[in-house]
Amino acid sequence: MNTLFDKIWDQHVVQIVEDGPTQLYIDRLYCHEVTSPQAFDGLRARGLKCLRPQQIFCMPDHNTPTHDQDKPIEDPISKKQVDALKKNAEDFGLSYYGMMHPNNGIIHVVGPELGLSLPGMTIVCGDSHTSTHGAMGAVAFGIGTSEVEMVMASQCILQQKPKSMRITINGKLGKGVCAKDIALYLMSKLTTSGATGYFVEYSGETVRNLSMEGRLTLCNLSIEMGARGGFVAPDETTFSYINGKPFAPKGEAWDRALAYWKTLYSGDDAVFDKELLFDAADIEPRITYGTNPGMGIGINENIPYMSDLDPKDKPAMMKALQYMGFFAGEKISGHEIDYVFLGACTNGRIEDFRAFAEIVKGRKKAERITALLVPGSWTVDCQIREEGIDKILLEAGFEIRQPGCSACLAMNDDKIPAGKYCVSTSNRNFEGRQGPGSRTILASPYVAAAAAITGEITDPRIFM
Protein backbone atom coordinates (compact mmCIF):
# COMPACT_ATOMS: atom_id res chain seq x y z
CA MET A 1 0.00 0.00 0.00
CA ASN A 2 1.11 3.55 -0.64
CA THR A 3 2.20 5.83 2.18
CA LEU A 4 -0.15 8.64 3.20
CA PHE A 5 2.22 11.07 1.50
CA ASP A 6 1.85 9.11 -1.75
CA LYS A 7 -1.94 9.16 -1.43
CA ILE A 8 -2.20 12.94 -1.02
CA TRP A 9 0.52 13.70 -3.57
CA ASP A 10 -0.89 11.37 -6.24
CA GLN A 11 -4.41 12.81 -5.83
CA HIS A 12 -3.02 16.27 -6.65
CA VAL A 13 -0.89 15.38 -9.69
CA VAL A 14 -2.03 17.28 -12.80
CA GLN A 15 0.69 15.92 -15.05
CA ILE A 16 4.23 14.59 -14.83
CA VAL A 17 6.82 16.17 -17.09
CA GLU A 18 8.95 13.44 -18.70
CA ASP A 19 12.42 13.49 -17.09
CA GLY A 20 11.24 16.54 -15.16
CA PRO A 21 9.08 17.74 -12.28
CA THR A 22 5.48 17.03 -11.34
CA GLN A 23 2.78 19.61 -11.94
CA LEU A 24 1.00 19.55 -8.58
CA TYR A 25 -2.37 21.12 -7.84
CA ILE A 26 -2.40 23.35 -4.74
CA ASP A 27 -5.47 23.63 -2.49
CA ARG A 28 -4.37 26.56 -0.34
CA LEU A 29 -1.89 29.41 -0.74
CA TYR A 30 -1.04 31.63 2.21
CA CYS A 31 0.65 35.00 1.60
CA HIS A 32 2.42 37.27 4.06
CA GLU A 33 4.06 40.61 3.40
CA VAL A 34 7.69 39.54 2.98
CA THR A 35 7.72 37.00 0.14
CA SER A 36 4.70 38.08 -1.93
CA PRO A 37 5.35 41.59 -3.38
CA GLN A 38 7.47 40.43 -6.33
CA ALA A 39 4.94 37.69 -7.10
CA PHE A 40 2.12 40.24 -7.37
CA ASP A 41 4.33 42.51 -9.49
CA GLY A 42 5.03 39.57 -11.79
CA LEU A 43 1.31 39.02 -12.32
CA ARG A 44 0.80 42.69 -13.11
CA ALA A 45 3.67 42.70 -15.58
CA ARG A 46 2.06 39.82 -17.48
CA GLY A 47 -1.49 41.12 -17.18
CA LEU A 48 -2.60 38.06 -15.19
CA LYS A 49 -5.15 37.58 -12.42
CA CYS A 50 -5.15 35.00 -9.66
CA LEU A 51 -6.79 31.87 -11.11
CA ARG A 52 -8.65 30.89 -7.93
CA PRO A 53 -8.61 33.85 -5.55
CA GLN A 54 -10.95 32.14 -3.07
CA GLN A 55 -8.13 29.70 -2.24
CA ILE A 56 -5.62 32.39 -1.32
CA PHE A 57 -5.45 34.08 2.11
CA CYS A 58 -3.23 37.02 3.02
CA MET A 59 -2.12 38.54 6.31
CA PRO A 60 0.88 40.48 7.62
CA ASP A 61 2.84 38.87 10.45
CA HIS A 62 6.64 39.23 10.09
CA ASN A 63 6.80 43.03 10.15
CA THR A 64 3.88 43.78 12.46
CA PRO A 65 4.74 45.50 15.76
CA THR A 66 3.50 43.76 18.90
CA HIS A 67 2.27 46.98 20.51
CA ASP A 68 0.11 49.92 19.36
CA GLN A 69 -1.16 48.04 16.32
CA ASP A 70 -4.02 50.53 16.06
CA LYS A 71 -1.44 53.19 15.11
CA PRO A 72 0.61 53.53 11.89
CA ILE A 73 3.75 51.37 11.79
CA GLU A 74 6.76 53.56 12.60
CA ASP A 75 9.44 51.61 10.73
CA PRO A 76 9.23 52.77 7.08
CA ILE A 77 10.31 49.46 5.53
CA SER A 78 7.86 47.43 7.62
CA LYS A 79 5.06 49.90 6.86
CA LYS A 80 5.78 49.73 3.14
CA GLN A 81 5.62 45.93 3.10
CA VAL A 82 2.44 45.71 5.16
CA ASP A 83 0.74 48.44 3.09
CA ALA A 84 1.78 46.69 -0.12
CA LEU A 85 0.18 43.40 0.97
CA LYS A 86 -3.11 45.15 1.74
CA LYS A 87 -3.15 46.87 -1.66
CA ASN A 88 -2.17 43.69 -3.50
CA ALA A 89 -4.92 41.71 -1.78
CA GLU A 90 -7.46 44.40 -2.71
CA ASP A 91 -6.23 44.64 -6.32
CA PHE A 92 -6.41 40.88 -6.86
CA GLY A 93 -9.60 40.23 -4.86
CA LEU A 94 -8.02 38.11 -2.13
CA SER A 95 -9.06 37.55 1.48
CA TYR A 96 -6.98 39.84 3.69
CA TYR A 97 -6.76 39.94 7.48
CA GLY A 98 -4.84 43.03 8.53
CA MET A 99 -3.53 44.07 11.93
CA MET A 100 -6.21 44.16 14.66
CA HIS A 101 -8.55 42.00 12.53
CA PRO A 102 -9.84 39.15 14.75
CA ASN A 103 -8.49 36.63 12.21
CA ASN A 104 -5.01 38.16 12.11
CA GLY A 105 -1.90 36.60 13.57
CA ILE A 106 1.04 34.49 12.43
CA ILE A 107 -0.19 32.81 9.29
CA HIS A 108 0.96 29.34 10.45
CA VAL A 109 -1.01 29.74 13.68
CA VAL A 110 -4.12 31.19 12.04
CA GLY A 111 -4.49 28.64 9.21
CA PRO A 112 -5.20 25.64 11.44
CA GLU A 113 -7.20 27.51 14.10
CA LEU A 114 -9.62 28.93 11.49
CA GLY A 115 -10.09 25.58 9.78
CA LEU A 116 -8.42 26.82 6.60
CA SER A 117 -5.81 24.04 6.77
CA LEU A 118 -7.52 20.66 6.46
CA PRO A 119 -6.54 16.97 6.09
CA GLY A 120 -5.64 15.81 2.61
CA MET A 121 -4.83 19.30 1.33
CA THR A 122 -1.74 20.55 -0.45
CA ILE A 123 -0.74 23.83 1.20
CA VAL A 124 2.05 26.26 0.29
CA CYS A 125 3.36 29.65 1.43
CA GLY A 126 6.49 31.66 0.72
CA ASP A 127 7.83 30.67 4.13
CA SER A 128 9.82 27.61 5.18
CA HIS A 129 7.72 26.95 8.28
CA THR A 130 4.67 26.15 6.16
CA SER A 131 5.51 22.59 7.24
CA THR A 132 3.51 23.47 10.39
CA HIS A 133 0.21 22.77 8.60
CA GLY A 134 1.27 19.16 8.08
CA ALA A 135 0.00 18.50 11.60
CA MET A 136 -3.50 18.64 10.10
CA GLY A 137 -2.72 15.65 7.88
CA ALA A 138 -1.83 17.83 4.90
CA VAL A 139 1.13 17.99 2.53
CA ALA A 140 2.42 21.48 3.34
CA PHE A 141 5.72 23.06 2.35
CA GLY A 142 7.44 26.38 1.82
CA ILE A 143 8.09 27.79 -1.65
CA GLY A 144 10.02 30.65 -3.23
CA THR A 145 8.57 33.93 -4.48
CA SER A 146 8.64 32.87 -8.15
CA GLU A 147 6.68 29.77 -7.14
CA VAL A 148 4.18 31.94 -5.23
CA GLU A 149 3.55 33.73 -8.52
CA MET A 150 3.17 30.37 -10.28
CA VAL A 151 0.50 29.22 -7.82
CA MET A 152 -1.34 32.55 -8.00
CA ALA A 153 -1.50 32.33 -11.79
CA SER A 154 -2.24 28.63 -12.23
CA GLN A 155 -3.12 27.13 -8.81
CA CYS A 156 -0.34 24.65 -9.60
CA ILE A 157 3.36 24.29 -8.92
CA LEU A 158 6.22 22.33 -10.47
CA GLN A 159 7.88 20.08 -7.90
CA GLN A 160 10.13 17.05 -7.76
CA LYS A 161 8.49 14.41 -5.58
CA PRO A 162 10.46 14.03 -2.32
CA LYS A 163 11.41 10.70 -0.77
CA SER A 164 9.44 9.45 2.23
CA MET A 165 10.66 8.99 5.80
CA ARG A 166 8.73 7.72 8.81
CA ILE A 167 9.87 8.71 12.28
CA THR A 168 8.17 6.57 14.92
CA ILE A 169 8.32 7.62 18.57
CA ASN A 170 6.90 5.28 21.18
CA GLY A 171 6.48 5.51 24.94
CA LYS A 172 5.22 8.15 27.34
CA LEU A 173 6.85 11.56 27.65
CA GLY A 174 8.34 12.36 31.04
CA LYS A 175 7.39 15.25 33.31
CA GLY A 176 8.17 18.66 31.83
CA VAL A 177 8.81 17.22 28.35
CA CYS A 178 6.74 18.45 25.41
CA ALA A 179 6.66 18.51 21.61
CA LYS A 180 9.39 21.16 21.40
CA ASP A 181 11.74 18.84 23.27
CA ILE A 182 10.89 15.99 20.88
CA ALA A 183 11.79 18.18 17.91
CA LEU A 184 15.03 19.45 19.47
CA TYR A 185 15.96 15.86 20.35
CA LEU A 186 15.31 14.65 16.79
CA MET A 187 17.39 17.51 15.37
CA SER A 188 20.32 16.64 17.62
CA LYS A 189 20.14 13.03 16.43
CA LEU A 190 19.53 13.62 12.72
CA THR A 191 21.42 16.95 12.48
CA THR A 192 19.98 19.89 10.54
CA SER A 193 20.50 18.07 7.23
CA GLY A 194 19.56 14.53 8.22
CA ALA A 195 16.13 14.64 6.57
CA THR A 196 17.15 16.55 3.43
CA GLY A 197 15.18 15.35 0.41
CA TYR A 198 12.49 13.68 2.51
CA PHE A 199 8.93 14.33 3.55
CA VAL A 200 8.57 13.04 7.12
CA GLU A 201 5.56 11.26 8.58
CA TYR A 202 5.56 11.30 12.40
CA SER A 203 3.93 8.27 13.99
CA GLY A 204 3.87 6.11 17.08
CA GLU A 205 2.22 6.19 20.49
CA THR A 206 4.00 9.38 21.59
CA VAL A 207 2.88 11.35 18.54
CA ARG A 208 -0.69 10.03 18.78
CA ASN A 209 -0.86 11.26 22.37
CA LEU A 210 0.20 14.79 21.42
CA SER A 211 -2.44 17.51 21.28
CA MET A 212 -2.96 19.36 18.01
CA GLU A 213 -0.85 22.22 19.38
CA GLY A 214 1.97 19.75 20.07
CA ARG A 215 1.72 18.25 16.61
CA LEU A 216 1.82 21.72 15.06
CA THR A 217 5.03 22.45 16.97
CA LEU A 218 6.60 19.16 15.88
CA CYS A 219 5.72 19.63 12.20
CA ASN A 220 6.81 23.28 12.33
CA LEU A 221 10.37 22.18 13.11
CA SER A 222 10.58 19.52 10.37
CA ILE A 223 12.28 22.02 8.10
CA GLU A 224 15.06 22.44 10.68
CA MET A 225 16.10 18.81 10.04
CA GLY A 226 16.35 19.65 6.34
CA ALA A 227 13.04 17.94 5.51
CA ARG A 228 10.79 19.26 2.75
CA GLY A 229 7.96 19.00 5.24
CA GLY A 230 6.47 16.86 7.98
CA PHE A 231 2.99 15.64 8.80
CA VAL A 232 0.87 13.50 11.11
CA ALA A 233 -1.93 11.27 9.84
CA PRO A 234 -5.30 12.71 10.90
CA ASP A 235 -7.22 10.97 13.68
CA GLU A 236 -9.94 11.73 16.25
CA THR A 237 -7.72 14.39 17.83
CA THR A 238 -7.53 16.13 14.45
CA PHE A 239 -11.22 15.81 13.68
CA SER A 240 -12.39 17.14 17.04
CA TYR A 241 -9.95 20.06 16.72
CA ILE A 242 -11.33 21.01 13.29
CA ASN A 243 -15.02 20.52 14.09
CA GLY A 244 -16.75 23.88 14.50
CA LYS A 245 -13.83 25.97 13.24
CA PRO A 246 -15.01 29.00 11.17
CA PHE A 247 -13.92 27.63 7.77
CA ALA A 248 -14.41 23.93 8.53
CA PRO A 249 -17.05 22.04 6.52
CA LYS A 250 -20.55 22.08 8.03
CA GLY A 251 -23.53 19.69 7.92
CA GLU A 252 -23.48 17.20 5.07
CA ALA A 253 -20.18 18.65 3.84
CA TRP A 254 -18.66 17.77 7.22
CA ASP A 255 -19.91 14.16 6.95
CA ARG A 256 -18.44 13.79 3.46
CA ALA A 257 -15.15 15.37 4.49
CA LEU A 258 -14.87 13.21 7.60
CA ALA A 259 -15.49 10.04 5.59
CA TYR A 260 -12.62 11.02 3.27
CA TRP A 261 -10.30 12.10 6.08
CA LYS A 262 -10.68 8.71 7.74
CA THR A 263 -9.04 7.11 4.69
CA LEU A 264 -5.89 9.20 5.15
CA TYR A 265 -3.34 6.89 6.71
CA SER A 266 -0.36 4.80 5.70
CA GLY A 267 -1.25 1.11 5.53
CA ASP A 268 0.56 -1.56 7.52
CA ASP A 269 2.35 -2.62 4.35
CA ALA A 270 3.32 0.91 3.27
CA VAL A 271 6.99 1.14 2.26
CA PHE A 272 9.04 4.21 3.23
CA ASP A 273 12.41 5.17 1.79
CA LYS A 274 13.72 5.48 5.35
CA GLU A 275 12.43 4.46 8.80
CA LEU A 276 13.66 5.72 12.18
CA LEU A 277 12.54 4.63 15.65
CA PHE A 278 12.94 6.55 18.94
CA ASP A 279 11.93 6.04 22.57
CA ALA A 280 10.17 8.90 24.39
CA ALA A 281 11.87 7.84 27.63
CA ASP A 282 15.19 9.07 26.21
CA ILE A 283 13.92 12.65 25.87
CA GLU A 284 14.25 15.25 28.63
CA PRO A 285 13.78 19.04 28.60
CA ARG A 286 16.30 20.37 26.09
CA ILE A 287 18.22 23.52 25.17
CA THR A 288 20.51 24.57 22.35
CA TYR A 289 24.04 25.84 22.89
CA GLY A 290 25.13 26.69 19.33
CA THR A 291 23.99 28.50 16.21
CA ASN A 292 21.83 25.90 14.52
CA PRO A 293 18.87 24.01 16.02
CA GLY A 294 20.72 20.69 15.89
CA MET A 295 23.31 21.89 18.41
CA GLY A 296 21.29 20.81 21.42
CA ILE A 297 21.62 18.92 24.69
CA GLY A 298 19.48 17.79 27.61
CA ILE A 299 19.13 20.65 30.05
CA ASN A 300 21.47 19.06 32.61
CA GLU A 301 24.00 17.77 30.10
CA ASN A 302 27.32 19.33 29.16
CA ILE A 303 28.20 20.81 25.79
CA PRO A 304 30.08 18.10 23.86
CA TYR A 305 33.87 18.02 24.05
CA MET A 306 35.79 18.63 20.83
CA SER A 307 37.34 15.17 21.16
CA ASP A 308 33.87 13.64 20.87
CA LEU A 309 33.15 15.30 17.53
CA ASP A 310 33.74 14.21 13.96
CA PRO A 311 36.74 16.24 12.69
CA LYS A 312 34.64 17.81 9.92
CA ASP A 313 32.24 19.23 12.55
CA LYS A 314 34.89 20.89 14.71
CA PRO A 315 35.33 24.19 12.79
CA ALA A 316 31.58 24.92 12.87
CA MET A 317 31.46 23.99 16.55
CA MET A 318 34.36 26.31 17.42
CA LYS A 319 32.76 29.17 15.50
CA ALA A 320 29.37 28.60 17.16
CA LEU A 321 30.78 28.44 20.70
CA GLN A 322 32.85 31.57 20.14
CA TYR A 323 29.73 33.43 18.98
CA MET A 324 27.66 32.15 21.91
CA GLY A 325 30.33 32.75 24.54
CA PHE A 326 30.31 29.09 25.65
CA PHE A 327 33.08 26.51 25.69
CA ALA A 328 33.25 22.78 24.96
CA GLY A 329 32.41 20.58 27.94
CA GLU A 330 30.61 23.41 29.75
CA LYS A 331 27.35 22.82 31.59
CA ILE A 332 25.06 25.74 30.73
CA SER A 333 22.29 24.98 33.17
CA GLY A 334 22.62 27.84 35.66
CA HIS A 335 23.99 30.25 33.04
CA GLU A 336 22.52 33.74 33.43
CA ILE A 337 20.31 35.01 30.63
CA ASP A 338 18.80 38.39 29.78
CA TYR A 339 15.66 37.85 27.69
CA VAL A 340 12.86 35.30 27.41
CA PHE A 341 10.67 35.02 24.32
CA LEU A 342 7.44 33.02 24.33
CA GLY A 343 5.78 32.97 20.92
CA ALA A 344 6.43 32.39 17.18
CA CYS A 345 4.71 29.92 14.86
CA THR A 346 6.52 27.25 16.88
CA ASN A 347 5.15 27.98 20.36
CA GLY A 348 2.67 30.87 20.20
CA ARG A 349 -0.48 28.79 20.76
CA ILE A 350 -2.79 28.58 23.76
CA GLU A 351 -1.21 25.36 25.04
CA ASP A 352 2.17 27.09 25.14
CA PHE A 353 0.78 29.94 27.25
CA ARG A 354 -0.87 27.42 29.56
CA ALA A 355 2.48 25.67 30.03
CA PHE A 356 4.30 28.94 30.70
CA ALA A 357 1.62 30.02 33.21
CA GLU A 358 1.78 26.65 34.97
CA ILE A 359 5.40 27.32 35.92
CA VAL A 360 5.18 31.04 36.79
CA LYS A 361 1.88 30.89 38.72
CA GLY A 362 2.42 32.24 42.23
CA ARG A 363 5.99 33.26 41.42
CA LYS A 364 7.65 36.45 40.14
CA LYS A 365 9.65 37.32 37.05
CA ALA A 366 13.35 37.75 37.77
CA GLU A 367 14.30 41.43 37.78
CA ARG A 368 17.15 40.94 35.30
CA ILE A 369 14.81 39.41 32.68
CA THR A 370 13.07 41.25 29.85
CA ALA A 371 10.20 39.02 28.78
CA LEU A 372 8.40 39.12 25.43
CA LEU A 373 5.20 37.07 25.63
CA VAL A 374 3.54 37.21 22.22
CA PRO A 375 0.37 35.30 21.26
CA GLY A 376 0.43 33.75 17.82
CA SER A 377 -2.94 35.24 16.92
CA TRP A 378 -5.82 37.33 18.22
CA THR A 379 -7.70 34.07 18.76
CA VAL A 380 -4.94 32.92 21.13
CA ASP A 381 -5.01 36.34 22.82
CA CYS A 382 -8.75 35.90 23.38
CA GLN A 383 -8.27 32.39 24.79
CA ILE A 384 -5.58 33.68 27.18
CA ARG A 385 -8.03 36.20 28.62
CA GLU A 386 -11.00 33.82 28.70
CA GLU A 387 -8.96 31.30 30.72
CA GLY A 388 -7.56 33.92 33.12
CA ILE A 389 -3.98 33.24 32.05
CA ASP A 390 -3.47 36.97 31.58
CA LYS A 391 -4.12 37.54 35.30
CA ILE A 392 -1.63 34.83 36.31
CA LEU A 393 1.04 36.36 34.07
CA LEU A 394 0.30 39.92 35.19
CA GLU A 395 0.57 38.97 38.87
CA ALA A 396 3.92 37.32 38.14
CA GLY A 397 5.20 40.54 36.53
CA PHE A 398 4.72 39.74 32.85
CA GLU A 399 3.08 41.74 30.06
CA ILE A 400 1.27 40.17 27.10
CA ARG A 401 2.05 41.80 23.77
CA GLN A 402 -0.04 41.89 20.59
CA PRO A 403 0.16 39.08 18.01
CA GLY A 404 2.93 38.81 15.42
CA CYS A 405 6.16 36.99 14.60
CA SER A 406 7.90 39.31 17.08
CA ALA A 407 11.39 38.37 18.29
CA CYS A 408 11.57 35.18 16.23
CA LEU A 409 13.38 36.95 13.42
CA ALA A 410 13.98 40.65 14.19
CA MET A 411 12.01 42.03 11.23
CA ASN A 412 10.04 44.22 13.63
CA ASP A 413 10.70 46.21 16.81
CA ASP A 414 11.22 43.16 19.04
CA LYS A 415 14.97 42.58 18.84
CA ILE A 416 17.48 41.07 21.26
CA PRO A 417 20.51 43.39 21.77
CA ALA A 418 24.01 42.32 20.75
CA GLY A 419 25.69 40.00 23.23
CA LYS A 420 22.52 39.35 25.23
CA TYR A 421 21.21 35.84 25.85
CA CYS A 422 17.61 34.96 25.04
CA VAL A 423 15.86 31.71 25.96
CA SER A 424 13.45 31.52 23.05
CA THR A 425 10.58 29.24 22.08
CA SER A 426 11.11 30.12 18.41
CA ASN A 427 12.53 27.84 15.72
CA ARG A 428 15.97 29.15 14.76
CA ASN A 429 19.09 30.18 16.68
CA PHE A 430 21.20 31.35 13.73
CA GLU A 431 23.73 34.14 14.26
CA GLY A 432 21.83 37.42 14.46
CA ARG A 433 18.46 35.76 13.94
CA GLN A 434 16.88 37.72 16.82
CA GLY A 435 18.94 40.85 16.20
CA PRO A 436 22.59 41.61 15.25
CA GLY A 437 24.88 39.87 17.73
CA SER A 438 22.01 38.32 19.70
CA ARG A 439 22.55 34.93 21.34
CA THR A 440 19.60 32.56 21.10
CA ILE A 441 19.00 29.46 23.21
CA LEU A 442 16.05 27.46 21.86
CA ALA A 443 13.80 25.79 24.41
CA SER A 444 10.24 24.80 25.27
CA PRO A 445 7.67 27.03 27.01
CA TYR A 446 8.39 25.17 30.26
CA VAL A 447 12.12 25.90 30.07
CA ALA A 448 11.45 29.50 29.03
CA ALA A 449 9.16 30.00 32.02
CA ALA A 450 11.70 28.53 34.46
CA ALA A 451 14.38 30.85 33.05
CA ALA A 452 12.06 33.83 33.32
CA ILE A 453 11.57 33.41 37.06
CA THR A 454 15.14 32.42 37.96
CA GLY A 455 17.08 34.60 35.51
CA GLU A 456 19.15 31.63 34.39
CA ILE A 457 18.82 28.40 32.42
CA THR A 458 16.86 26.16 34.77
CA ASP A 459 15.34 22.68 34.67
CA PRO A 460 11.56 23.37 34.81
CA ARG A 461 10.89 20.06 36.56
CA ILE A 462 11.96 21.56 39.89
CA PHE A 463 8.82 23.73 39.71
CA MET A 464 6.46 20.91 38.71
Side-chain angles (χ1 to χ4, degrees):
M1 181 183 282
N2 286 343
T3 66
L4 173 54
F5 178 76
D6 290 331
K7 286 183 183 179
I8 298 174
W9 181 277
D10 293 348
Q11 285 171 356
H12 288 79
V13 171
V14 177
Q15 64 174 327
I16 298 174
V17 178
E18 189 174 348
D19 298 323
T22 300
Q23 185 184 17
L24 195 71
Y25 182 78
I26 298 301
D27 294 305
R28 183 79 71 222
L29 169 65
Y30 294 122
C31 288
H32 59 65
E33 73 275 27
V34 179
T35 55
S36 64
Q38 298 93 331
F40 284 112
D41 287 347
L43 292 183
R44 284 193 184 93
R46 293 191 289 156
L48 297 176
K49 296 180 179 179
C50 292
L51 181 69
R52 297 198 169 159
Q54 71 277 13
Q55 290 169 233
I56 303 173
F57 288 79
C58 308
M59 70 189 70
D61 54 12
H62 283 54
N63 286 287
T64 56
T66 59
H67 56 86
D68 298 327
Q69 287 191 5
D70 54 338
K71 299 175 182 175
I73 298 174
E74 292 180 5
D75 179 71
I77 296 175
S78 294
K79 186 178 189 304
K80 184 177 181 180
Q81 288 192 309
V82 171
D83 289 348
L85 181 63
K86 182 180 181 181
K87 184 179 189 307
N88 285 327
E90 289 172 351
D91 289 353
F92 287 88
L94 308 179
S95 296
Y96 173 78
Y97 302 135
M99 290 190 302
M100 302 297 291
H101 189 288
N103 289 352
N104 178 256
I106 304 172
I107 214 158
H108 305 315
V109 174
V110 171
E113 72 184 8
L114 289 183
L116 288 168
S117 301
L118 298 172
M121 278 186 166
T122 49
I123 300 170
V124 295
C125 174
D127 187 292
S128 59
H129 293 106
T130 308
S131 58
T132 310
H133 306 267
M136 309 306 297
V139 168
F141 52 93
I143 57 176
T145 299
S146 61
E147 294 170 311
V148 171
E149 182 181 343
M150 190 187 302
V151 176
M152 287 174 174
S154 68
Q155 209 56 42
C156 293
I157 192 171
L158 295 175
Q159 285 283 296
Q160 295 286 353
K161 186 177 181 180
K163 294 181 289 185
S164 62
M165 178 191 293
R166 179 162 61 186
I167 295 179
T168 303
I169 310 163
N170 287 319
K172 187 178 180 182
L173 292 174
K175 182 172 69 172
V177 180
C178 57
K180 183 62 164 289
D181 300 303
I182 298 175
L184 291 173
Y185 176 80
L186 293 176
M187 284 185 270
S188 72
K189 295 297 180 185
L190 273 73
T191 75
T192 51
S193 60
T196 300
Y198 291 91
F199 225 93
V200 176
E201 177 174 346
Y202 298 100
S203 69
E205 174 195 4
T206 312
V207 176
R208 288 278 157 232
N209 286 333
L210 288 177
S211 64
M212 280 310 303
E213 287 89 350
R215 297 177 187 187
L216 288 159
T217 294
L218 183 59
C219 291
N220 173 273
L221 288 155
S222 303
I223 191 73
E224 308 307 339
M225 299 187 298
R228 195 72 185 90
F231 66 99
V232 178
D235 58 12
E236 291 303 324
T237 299
T238 321
F239 309 146
S240 60
Y241 177 87
I242 297 168
N243 195 8
K245 293 279 190 281
F247 286 89
K250 306 287 191 296
E252 290 183 12
W254 170 263
D255 296 334
R256 287 194 303 272
L258 191 60
Y260 164 59
W261 294 343
K262 288 182 176 179
T263 69
L264 297 177
Y265 57 88
S266 295
D268 294 337
D269 55 352
V271 178
F272 292 80
D273 294 302
K274 191 169 186 177
E275 295 250 21
L276 295 172
L277 177 64
F278 296 96
D279 188 344
D282 295 334
I283 307 172
E284 66 171 333
R286 296 187 68 82
I287 48 174
T288 60
Y289 58 83
T291 52
N292 75 54
M295 291 180 166
I297 51 177
I299 195 158
N300 293 310
E301 293 178 347
N302 292 42
I303 295 173
Y305 288 95
M306 288 294 176
S307 57
D308 296 334
L309 298 179
D310 188 305
K312 67 178 173 51
D313 296 329
K314 289 182 180 179
M317 177 73 152
M318 291 173 66
K319 184 174 184 287
L321 292 182
Q322 183 177 11
Y323 180 85
M324 291 296 294
F326 295 143
F327 56 85
E330 182 182 3
K331 183 173 183 176
I332 57 173
S333 179
H335 192 285
E336 284 192 347
I337 55 124
D338 309 286
Y339 282 74
V340 166
F341 171 50
L342 173 66
C345 59
T346 316
N347 285 120
R349 299 175 184 84
I350 186 60
E351 184 177 273
D352 305 309
F353 278 81
R354 289 174 188 150
F356 193 95
E358 181 185 334
I359 298 291
V360 305
K361 186 176 182 180
R363 301 183 172 95
K364 293 290 184 185
K365 180 182 75 68
E367 283 189 22
R368 64 175 287 110
I369 295 298
T370 300
L372 301 170
L373 311 189
V374 187
S377 69
W378 284 106
T379 298
V380 174
D381 182 84
C382 186
Q383 289 173 308
I384 288 169
R385 297 175 199 287
E386 285 176 354
E387 296 182 17
I389 292 172
D390 59 325
K391 294 182 176 63
I392 293 171
L393 297 175
L394 188 65
E395 287 170 8
F398 296 96
E399 171 200 353
I400 300 172
R401 300 175 80 87
Q402 294 176 318
C405 290
S406 184
C408 175
L409 78 172
M411 293 184 81
N412 48 73
D413 296 339
D414 298 348
K415 296 176 175 64
I416 310 305
K420 299 296 184 183
Y421 290 95
C422 179
V423 171
S424 175
T425 66
S426 53
N427 39 50
R428 287 179 175 159
N429 54 344
F430 303 158
E431 289 187 21
R433 169 78 175 180
Q434 294 191 292
S438 60
R439 293 163 162 173
T440 302
I441 296 159
L442 299 179
S444 74
Y446 285 131
V447 173
I453 56 178
T454 62
E456 58 190 41
I457 297 169
T458 305
D459 190 332
R461 292 173 291 191
I462 66 172
F463 298 112
M464 303 178 81

